[in-house]
Amino acid sequence: MHITRRRLLGLLAGTAAFIGLPAAWISRGRTYEGPISDHFDGSQFYDPDGVPPKSLASVVRWQFGSDRRRTAWPEWAPSPYADTPPPRVTGDKVRLSFVGHASWLIQAAGLNILVDPVWSMRVSPVNWAGPRRHNDPGIAFEALPDIDIVLVSHGHYDHLDLPTLSRLAEKFSPRVITPLGNDLTMRDADAAIKAESFDWKDRVELGNGIAVTLVPTRHWTARGVFDRNKALWASFVLETPAGKIYIVCDSGYGEGRHFRRVAEAHGPLRLAILPIGAYEPRWFMRDQHMNPEDAVKALADCGAAQALGHHHGTFQLTDEAIDAPAIALTKALDAARVAPEKFVAMKPGQVFEV
């Protein structure tokens, strides 16, 4: 394969979307400073039950190795669904609308909550390269109701999208809840973003009886060469009138300890939102991204009554086919003797109510 400088930079930009590859054009930003803890050494965060991210040499092997098997996605793969959400949802119901990838609108107790909102066409440090959308957001930005709260799980470009956060700040001025250090990234880009940062196990009151707890997850974060694991990453447990919702935006499975600990500390769980995509090749992705078989095990570990699958089908971050996660999830559920309706692979614009 002939590798031009532009092609190499484009591949690096694309991979930076979720693994934080070095990118010379990314400026040095402020990083978190705080007390040493069991997951912060004074300079970097780490998962005591996890593993470090892959080296640049491993990235080059994945991207340019002769054994790479990357399945091309269709140029455009529209979802058959589109949602126009109501202004508010009250009572004991919760309405969840899947925007795409790891983005959700959750409506409960009169609050409108967005999770990892991305309305941009690309998830990349540059606008001319990197993963781009293969379908529209399940909710048009103009159709969003008034947004009160935004939850951002970590700093990878497919989860922390600064252009979208700026649009939300300008239109709605929502409160943004994120793990330690990501608030600096947001405010350095746009002072209007009302970012608040919290540590693992912090519980945050959101209003109207809704609260969220940030919980450990098996992942990592970076946006460039200077900030690898300089900010924290997390999953969320959202307390709602219909029960607790466990929101896992990005995670490896490992030995399943994080999922079992959430069950012990926060169970019973009414619903789990679990990632099922961006998992091939396994030698590279296994430690940080679950495949559908892992996700089925995670559901059993956390004990949720219901699961919804996301983190698939919108941005091609890895090598599997666009429909591979949904097909593999069906097979994994069958092998585990779990009813298919208990774990649904969502498409943008689909709505689920509890």
Side-chain angles (χ1 to χ4, degrees):
M1 178 189 297
H2 178 61
I3 303 173
T4 65
R5 182 176 182 273
R6 182 177 177 85
R7 173 174 169 76
L8 177 60
L9 290 175
L11 286 168
L12 293 179
T15 311
F18 71 110
I19 63 171
L21 268 183
W25 55 84
I26 299 176
S27 62
R28 197 185 293 263
R30 289 187 298 155
T31 57
Y32 171 79
E33 295 180 0
I36 293 173
S37 72
D38 63 354
H39 55 278
F40 182 64
D41 64 10
S43 175
Q44 290 182 306
F45 292 93
Y46 61 95
D47 179 0
D49 294 307
V51 295
K54 290 291 191 293
S55 66
L56 179 57
S58 293
V59 174
V60 172
R61 175 191 160 194
W62 166 38
Q63 290 287 327
F64 302 113
S66 60
D67 59 344
R68 187 178 186 190
R69 300 292 181 266
R70 183 179 187 271
T71 303
W73 284 23
E75 188 73 14
W76 194 248
S79 171
Y81 305 96
D83 183 35
T84 302
R88 302 279 175 184
V89 171
T90 58
D92 60 358
K93 297 292 185 182
V94 178
R95 186 182 193 271
L96 301 100
S97 179
F98 184 45
V99 178
H101 193 58
S103 303
W104 294 82
L105 171 65
I106 302 176
Q107 297 179 279
L111 290 184
N112 294 325
I113 303 168
L114 284 177
V115 179
D116 281 4
V118 178
W119 265 261
S120 295
M121 182 55 70
R122 290 191 186 271
V123 286
S124 172
V126 295
N127 60 14
W128 51 264
R132 61 171 182 78
R133 284 190 172 276
H134 290 263
N135 39 60
D136 287 321
I139 306 170
F141 191 86
E142 296 72 20
L144 282 171
D146 290 344
I147 301 301
D148 306 295
I149 305 290
V150 176
L151 307 178
V152 177
S153 65
H154 65 294
H156 287 155
Y157 288 84
D158 56 320
H159 297 263
L160 194 167
D161 183 48
L162 289 170
T164 296
L165 292 172
S166 287
R167 291 178 72 186
L168 292 167
E170 181 179 13
K171 187 171 183 180
F172 305 114
S173 192
R175 187 180 178 192
V176 181
I177 307 299
T178 192
L180 297 172
N182 297 290
D183 58 320
L184 302 176
T185 299
M186 297 177 197
R187 289 198 299 270
D188 281 351
D190 185 347
I193 299 173
K194 295 165 59 177
E196 307 170 33
S197 66
F198 298 91
D199 204 351
W200 285 347
K201 301 183 181 179
D202 284 347
R203 182 177 180 272
V204 185
E205 295 280 357
L206 303 180
N208 299 356
I210 304 287
V212 66
T213 301
L214 287 73
V215 295
T217 199
R218 187 184 176 93
H219 202 56
W220 68 290
T221 195
R223 293 178 73 82
V225 67
F226 302 116
D227 65 348
R228 180 168 287 207
N229 285 358
K230 295 289 188 177
L232 188 58
W233 53 96
S235 294
F236 303 104
V237 175
L238 187 67
E239 300 170 30
T240 79
K244 294 180 180 179
I245 301 175
Y246 181 26
I247 307 167
V248 183
C249 296
D250 237 347
S251 180
Y253 178 73
E255 302 299 323
R257 293 189 184 97
H258 288 315
F259 302 102
R260 291 191 292 274
R261 287 171 183 162
V262 165
E264 294 165 2
H266 299 280
L269 302 172
R270 176 65 184 85
L271 176 69
I273 298 174
L274 300 172
I276 62 170
Y279 54 82
E280 291 290 353
R282 291 311 284 152
W283 70 265
F284 188 90
M285 297 295 166
R286 180 184 306 277
D287 292 328
Q288 310 297 338
H289 285 178
M290 295 193 292
N291 64 12
E293 184 179 355
D294 290 336
V296 171
K297 291 189 288 186
L299 173 58
D301 288 338
C302 75
Q306 172 75 44
L308 303 177
H310 70 153
H311 204 275
H312 70 108
T314 293
F315 298 106
Q316 186 173 18
L317 304 176
T318 51
D319 291 353
E320 73 272 9
I322 191 170
D323 57 351
I327 293 170
L329 178 62
T330 297
K331 293 179 180 178
L333 291 169
D334 184 61
R337 298 184 179 180
V338 176
E341 61 270 18
K342 185 171 180 176
F343 196 159
V344 180
M346 298 290 281
K347 292 185 178 181
Q350 270 191 288
V351 174
F352 192 90
E353 296 185 352
V354 293

